[in-house]
Amino acid sequence: VEYRAAALASNTKSPPGPLSLYVHIPFCDTLCFYCGCNKVVTKNRARAAPYLQRLHKEIALQAALFDRARPVDQLHWGGGTPTFISHDEMRALMAKTREHFTLRDDDSGRIWSPTLLPCRGEGSSRIRHGFGYTVYEHVEDGIESALWVHVATDAPIKYAVLKLRNLSGRTRRLSVIGYVEWVLGDLRGKSLMHVVTEHDPETGAVLGRNPYNTEFDGRVGFFDVDESLRSVTGDRVEFIGRNGSMARPAAAGRARLSGRVGAGLDPCAAIGITVSLIDDIEHAVVFRLGAARDEAQARSLLRQPRDAAAAQKALQAVQAYWREMLGAIQVRTPDAAVDVLANGWLLYQVIASR
């Protein structure tokens, strides 16, 4: 009773402070002589499953005591050996934590984009082009990223899959923000005053429409991410900030986006999430940008699977399409370089640019 009262009372402080979480994983496969923790020594890794189920419930119970606006600045793992549980169990545990708490990265405050623009980092970069896709690879501050961009063959959806791997040797917390500017017409300067944005409560996506576009009447654009816990804005002024720039937008310094959408804004779609990366674990974030004939089709497309497996399936379909298209004719010449160009890239350039 005293703990509950103290936890609830802490929300009324001005301002309420950030939170620090401790996650106890009590399992070890061997006993350390210096250990003084409450632990269970076993090599049976299946024993962790019922404990994790109860731990998920405990996270929800604890989260109900604290104001959701209070971010978690510190997240500690301890007890036995956290790596006793599997990678999938770790991901599920972190997903449950993100579902109930707001995590914020205060490790360094550095900002960079996985591409060379708009916010070029200091690390090395490489760009690879394939038939129907492009990959932007970058290493910055101990974080390896690969941004895979492709368009589905069977749906009006553009995928941007950001794969992150932590190489720093410690747990890292990162804020990831996806951002697009709505045009929904021929020129942004002409159409921006007419674009209306909306936050779809069912899917969490940001929708955009231009009711004054008579040539494409009723069309709806949408922007989405595969993480359930997110914050959004449809206001470009909020995202960039007064006297700000895309190289260092004001939104990058905030724990959450405001959720502001509607008419009369400088329209955009920005979705922010927080990712916790355990050392040497890869995590994929899937953004989807799409266009639909009307709101009903937009919601139908948004309900389709949006995880990394769905994005990978779409990429495989793209690769298969171009293999069949470009493999119909094969040329052999005395020059191997000419063969490489003639049997792929020249045809691809002509077809893809039309």
Side-chain angles (χ1 to χ4, degrees), residues 266-295:
D266 188 351
C268 75
I271 302 179
I273 65 169
T274 305
V275 177
S276 183
L277 293 177
I278 300 172
D279 183 43
D280 202 31
I281 296 295
E282 184 178 277
H283 182 87
V285 180
V286 181
F287 289 97
R288 297 186 301 170
L289 175 65
R293 293 187 304 272
D294 50 33
E295 185 173 333

Side-chain angles (χ1 to χ4, degrees), residues 22 25 28 30 48 67 103 122 137 148 156 161-162 180 230 239 257 279 327:
Y22 172 74
I25 307 295
C28 294
T30 57
D67 189 339
L103 305 180
E122 299 177 357
E137 298 175 339
W148 291 69
V161 182
L162 180 62
V180 298
R230 86 276 296 274
F239 180 83
L257 301 173
D279 183 43

Side-chain angles (χ1 to χ4, degrees), residues 17 100 103 187 211 219:
H100 291 283
L103 305 180
L187 296 173
R219 297 298 177 97

Side-chain angles (χ1 to χ4, degrees), residues 184-185 194 208-221 291-297:
L184 302 179
H194 304 304
R209 72 189 78 225
N210 181 358
Y212 285 84
N213 189 333
T214 56
E215 293 185 22
F216 299 96
D217 184 37
R219 297 298 177 97
V220 177
R293 293 187 304 272
D294 50 33
E295 185 173 333
Q297 187 193 29

Side-chain angles (χ1 to χ4, degrees), residues 81-144:
T81 305
T83 52
F84 182 90
I85 63 178
S86 68
H87 291 173
D88 289 339
E89 289 171 330
M90 284 185 179
R91 292 191 184 99
L93 185 56
M94 288 307 305
K96 181 61 65 174
T97 305
R98 291 196 298 269
E99 179 181 342
H100 291 283
F101 291 95
T102 300
L103 305 180
R104 184 173 65 196
D105 180 15
D106 285 335
D107 291 343
S108 65
R110 295 182 62 180
I111 301 172
W112 71 90
S113 56
T115 53
L116 295 178
L117 291 175
C119 184
R120 183 169 185 168
E122 299 177 357
S124 60
S125 298
R126 182 174 68 166
I127 303 173
R128 296 189 289 115
H129 299 290
F131 298 133
Y133 68 93
T134 295
V135 186
Y136 303 87
E137 298 175 339
H138 185 68
V139 178
E140 184 80 16
D141 197 24
I143 301 296
E144 180 183 77

Side-chain angles (χ1 to χ4, degrees), residues 102-348:
T102 300
L103 305 180
R104 184 173 65 196
D105 180 15
D106 285 335
D107 291 343
S108 65
R110 295 182 62 180
I111 301 172
W112 71 90
S113 56
T115 53
L116 295 178
L117 291 175
C119 184
R120 183 169 185 168
E122 299 177 357
S124 60
S125 298
R126 182 174 68 166
I127 303 173
R128 296 189 289 115
H129 299 290
F131 298 133
Y133 68 93
T134 295
V135 186
Y136 303 87
E137 298 175 339
H138 185 68
V139 178
E140 184 80 16
D141 197 24
I143 301 296
E144 180 183 77
S145 65
L147 179 63
W148 291 69
V149 181
H150 60 278
V151 176
T153 59
D154 58 350
I157 297 177
K158 177 181 179 180
Y159 288 90
V161 182
L162 180 62
K163 298 181 180 181
L164 300 169
R165 180 175 291 275
N166 181 6
L167 307 177
S168 65
R170 56 189 174 88
T171 299
R172 301 288 296 278
R173 298 183 301 275
L174 304 175
S175 294
V176 179
I177 302 177
Y179 173 85
V180 298
E181 294 183 359
W182 295 121
V183 177
L184 302 179
D186 52 357
L187 296 173
R188 175 174 165 78
K190 291 168 55 179
S191 63
L192 67 87
M193 68 181 70
H194 304 304
V195 173
V196 180
T197 57
E198 175 188 349
H199 182 207
D200 181 38
E202 178 185 351
T203 62
V206 178
L207 309 181
R209 72 189 78 225
N210 181 358
Y212 285 84
N213 189 333
T214 56
E215 293 185 22
F216 299 96
D217 184 37
R219 297 298 177 97
V220 177
F222 59 86
F223 189 50
D224 189 29
V225 71
D226 65 332
E227 298 282 346
S228 59
L229 181 61
R230 86 276 296 274
S231 60
V232 306
T233 185
D235 186 1
R236 182 173 177 267
V237 174
E238 174 199 338
F239 180 83
I240 296 178
R242 184 177 182 181
N243 300 323
S245 68
M246 288 299 298
R248 194 172 183 85
R254 302 191 181 109
R256 294 181 62 81
L257 301 173
S258 70
R260 188 183 186 197
V261 293
L265 305 175
D266 188 351
C268 75
I271 302 179
I273 65 169
T274 305
V275 177
S276 183
L277 293 177
I278 300 172
D279 183 43
D280 202 31
I281 296 295
E282 184 178 277
H283 182 87
V285 180
V286 181
F287 289 97
R288 297 186 301 170
L289 175 65
R293 293 187 304 272
D294 50 33
E295 185 173 333
Q297 187 193 29
R299 296 184 189 278
S300 176
L301 292 170
L302 285 167
R303 293 189 192 102
Q304 294 180 7
R306 57 185 181 182
D307 57 5
Q312 181 64 26
K313 183 178 179 180
L315 175 61
Q316 291 172 350
V318 169
Q319 293 170 327
Y321 170 84
W322 283 109
R323 278 197 302 269
E324 180 179 359
M325 174 70 70
L326 302 177
I329 299 176
Q330 292 292 304
V331 176
R332 293 289 181 267
T333 72
D335 191 335
V338 173
D339 291 350
V340 170
L341 288 174
N343 292 321
W345 287 109
L346 292 179
L347 288 174
Y348 175 75

